[in-house]
Amino acid sequence: MNIRFFQPADAEELACLFEEMQAYYGVFCPPRQAILSGILNRPPQTEFLVAETDRIIAAAAFAAIYPGPGLQPGFFLKELYVAGSERGRDIGTALMKRLAGLAVERGFGRIDWTAARANERLLKFYDELGGDRKEDRIFYRLEGPKLKALAGLE
C-alpha cells in the first residue's frame, strides 16, 4: 500500500470511493460529473491523501486552519474513509499517521475532526489512535435554506 497526495489523474477513482462513502452513510450522492467537478475544483486549501494498492482504497480530506489553541495552526480532518472491502487492515491508522507526520512537518499543533456519536466502531478507532474526545464542544452546521436566509438571499 502506498499513501500519497491526490493527483488530478486520480479523480475518477476518488469519485468511485466517494460514491461508496455516500452509500455507506446513506446520504444523497450527486451524479458522477458533479463529484468530479467538486474534486477537481475544490477550494485550494483542501487537500487529499489517498491510500492505494492497485486502486485507491482510502482517502483523507483535510485543510489547514488557524487559529487554534495557543494561536497555532492545525488541520481539520473533514473525511477519512476506507473502502468497505479494505477495513480492518490498519489503512485508516496509516492515513492518520501520515496526516500527523504532515502536521508536524508543517509546524502545526493539532488535528481536529468530528465523529458521529452513534458510530461506536468509529469512536473506538479514534480513541485507539489517542484522540481526546472534546465533550465540551457541540458541532453545528448551517446549510441549505437557512444558509441562504442568513446570507440575505431568501
Side-chain angles (χ1 to χ4, degrees):
M1 177 184 62
N2 181 39
I3 295 177
R4 61 175 175 76
F5 284 100
F6 165 85
Q7 299 295 319
D10 299 326
E12 281 287 342
E13 287 187 42
L14 189 57
C16 287
L17 186 70
F18 283 179
E19 287 170 336
E20 178 186 323
M21 179 181 73
Q22 295 300 92
Y24 175 78
Y25 289 124
V27 297
F28 168 76
C29 186
R32 171 66 65 91
Q33 197 56 42
I35 299 169
L36 289 169
S37 179
I39 290 169
L40 295 172
N41 299 303
R42 68 192 182 281
Q45 305 84 353
T46 305
E47 299 180 72
F48 297 124
L49 287 174
V50 296
E52 66 178 352
T53 53
D54 59 333
R55 69 190 197 314
I56 293 176
I57 57 173
F62 59 98
I65 54 174
Y66 179 86
L71 298 178
Q72 296 295 309
F75 281 135
F76 183 80
L77 174 65
K78 176 57 183 93
E79 294 293 343
L80 176 68
Y81 186 77
V82 177
S85 62
E86 305 296 327
R87 291 193 191 117
R89 297 182 43 222
D90 295 326
I91 296 164
T93 301
L95 275 167
M96 288 298 290
K97 284 181 178 180
R98 180 64 185 105
L99 185 59
L102 190 59
V104 171
E105 288 170 23
R106 293 185 185 180
F108 291 5
R110 72 189 192 291
I111 302 171
D112 292 329
W113 66 89
T114 63
R117 292 179 199 254
N119 190 335
E120 288 298 325
R121 182 177 180 193
L122 183 62
L123 297 177
K124 182 177 184 296
F125 168 72
Y126 286 135
D127 287 343
E128 288 174 353
L129 286 178
D132 294 321
R133 291 187 189 192
K134 299 297 182 186
E135 303 291 343
D136 62 326
R137 302 282 186 254
I138 297 175
F139 179 75
Y140 281 91
R141 177 171 293 146
L142 185 63
E143 61 186 345
K146 291 181 180 180
L147 175 66
K148 290 178 182 177
L150 186 61
L153 299 175
E154 284 198 358

